[in-house]
Amino acid sequence: MVSSGITTDDKPDHFTTPIAIKACAGLRALKYGMMIHGFVKKNHGMNMFVGSALIDFYSKCGQMGEALRVFKEISGPDVVMWTSMVIGYEQNGYPEEVIAFFSQMVVECVNPDPVMLVSVVSACAQLLNFKLGSCVHGFVIRRGFDTDLSLVNSMMPEKDVISCSSMVACSAHNGAAVEALDIFDEMIDRGIEPNSVTVVSALQAYAVTCNLDECKKIHEVAAWKGFHTQPDVVAMVKILVACSESGILQKAVCLHGYIIISGFNRNIFVGALLIELHSKCGGIDIATKVFKGMIHKDVAIWSAMIAGYGIHGQGEEALKIVNQMVTSATVWPNNITFLSILSACSHAGLVEEGIKIFNMISHEYQLKSNSEHYYGIMVDLLGQTGELDKAIDIINQMPNPAEPHMGEIAAKNLFQLDPNHAEYYILLSHIYVVEEKWDNVAKLRTQIKEKGLKKFFRQSVVEIRNEVHSFVADDRFHPDSQQIYGFLRNLEVKMREEGYVPNIECMLHEEKEDL
């Protein structure tokens, strides 16, 4: 840009310059970074973003004197610049300067963040100053940072395989999967060899995040290290849940084989999850065989089979399972069972059967049918089949029924059940678009922005030749995206030749939604 003789308006600015400086920092290209620094001084001058990038650059290149010079050039540096200086001094082996900078920062009433405090704690450890470290520990507690896992981990007296494995396991078993993986990565970066406990805990954390690629890498590490730890039922359940989210049938079949060999196939929890796994992966026939092969069937087994038939649109088969459960089994249906059968009726368009089940919930089984899920499924079922009058009857049974338009009645009652569900707002906005009520559309979009609602984009996963591919709508990151979209365009041409005419008005409106 600079050497090609372009106009002044097109020269690098405060937004492009930090990116170039960051690239130099990553490459440790001191000469080029200093050239960019000179360009900044000569042209548009310094600001917070450029200053922070330069400090980080000089720190990574070991030039803390230059980093300090940049820091002093900035009037009123923010916490990011202070943090960059502290981290730079710590990583370059100047623990005294870390403490001095931190003390100066506190005196000037700049609030430190947990990232900086990790470096301060590390500096205290380098100085072997227990008293100073205790003072920093007290500061951390007073500021309320004592719940930050990375900061707490940095205050451990010594990091070895036992302490790190304990932190990974503790985080993974208490719902902090991301933090567990951060600690595991830090452990690897520090050259600490993982043991079997660490690897199993990391695998469980990756299972929670559904990161199949990383899970494969950890499995390869386990195999290379010779870890052959036999998973227990709890670990097996977590692995089944992660595998069912992927929807890959080949993985399901392989895992099922391992479960049979390991003797877990008679466990009720494993059995229910196997039925769910095969159902979600398209193997409803295998799921049925698993169901029939279970000697002891509890309510979870029955509910899983009903839900499996529902996923595949086989509502009548789901109803047969319900009848079989009621007449011959010793277990009693619960709310999950009824949600599964109502969902199956909805997928299959079985209106009368769905209404019958809905009435059975409260009349015959004395279960409370005021769950938002019950009403949502029933309104969806009746709405899809055009039974609007019956949908209104269901809506009127909801708490505080509304009035005017049918669509608005449904939406407003659903808002009362779940006011933070973005999809309800989107559906109502589409109704307003079709009726050209643009003022209502604008008001609804304002409500969406004020509530901070976001539309969650669905992700699809497919495995081809032992490689997992994931994609979302309008995805352009796949290496074969051009061929994929070319094929889709050909399909669109054939569909139009067959007489298909898409209704693009709602689609165009949806693209404009800031969700």
Side-chain angles (χ1 to χ4, degrees), residues 235-261:
M236 208 70 250
V237 166
K238 292 181 179 180
I239 294 170
L240 282 167
V241 171
C243 194
S244 66
E245 292 299 323
S246 71
I248 301 172
L249 183 58
Q250 182 181 355
K251 290 285 187 296
V253 173
C254 291
L255 185 58
H256 191 175
Y258 177 81
I259 287 172
I260 293 174
I261 294 172

Side-chain angles (χ1 to χ4, degrees), residues 215-227:
C215 229
K216 285 183 177 180
K217 292 178 183 178
I218 298 296
H219 185 263
E220 290 172 0
V221 170
W224 179 62
K225 292 288 185 182
F227 299 145

Side-chain angles (χ1 to χ4, degrees), residues 288 291-292 297 301-307 309 314-329 337 341:
T288 304
F291 173 76
K292 292 179 178 179
K297 298 182 179 71
I301 297 288
W302 289 95
S303 299
M305 194 65 250
I306 293 168
Y309 280 126
Q314 300 182 23
E316 293 182 356
E317 293 296 326
L319 287 170
K320 290 179 182 178
I321 295 294
V322 173
N323 292 331
Q324 183 182 348
M325 178 183 183
V326 172
T327 55
S328 62
T337 312
I341 186 58

Side-chain angles (χ1 to χ4, degrees), residues 288-421:
T288 304
K289 290 180 180 178
V290 174
F291 173 76
K292 292 179 178 179
M294 295 297 297
I295 299 174
H296 302 289
K297 298 182 179 71
D298 67 350
V299 66
I301 297 288
W302 289 95
S303 299
M305 194 65 250
I306 293 168
Y309 280 126
I311 292 172
H312 288 262
Q314 300 182 23
E316 293 182 356
E317 293 296 326
L319 287 170
K320 290 179 182 178
I321 295 294
V322 173
N323 292 331
Q324 183 182 348
M325 178 183 183
V326 172
T327 55
S328 62
T330 57
V331 295
W332 196 254
N334 60 14
N335 281 314
I336 295 176
T337 312
F338 283 114
L339 284 173
S340 298
I341 186 58
L342 283 176
S343 181
C345 291
S346 178
H347 281 107
L350 302 175
V351 179
E352 297 300 328
E353 293 83 351
I355 295 174
K356 182 180 178 181
I357 295 293
F358 183 78
N359 293 329
M360 284 173 56
I361 293 172
S362 56
H363 296 156
E364 295 185 27
Y365 290 92
Q366 287 79 48
L367 295 174
K368 293 183 178 179
S369 61
N370 58 356
S371 167
E372 62 184 76
H373 302 292
Y374 288 135
Y375 287 108
I377 293 173
M378 287 305 299
V379 170
D380 179 64
L381 167 62
L382 296 168
Q384 286 184 39
T385 54
E387 300 284 351
L388 298 181
D389 291 335
K390 293 180 179 178
I392 293 298
D393 292 338
I394 295 294
I395 290 170
N396 288 333
Q397 298 177 34
M398 298 166 64
N400 304 318
E403 51 288 328
H405 187 278
M406 284 188 177
E408 290 178 303
I409 293 174
K412 289 180 179 178
N413 279 277
L414 291 173
F415 290 159
Q416 292 175 5
L417 292 174
D418 189 356
N420 295 318
H421 199 304

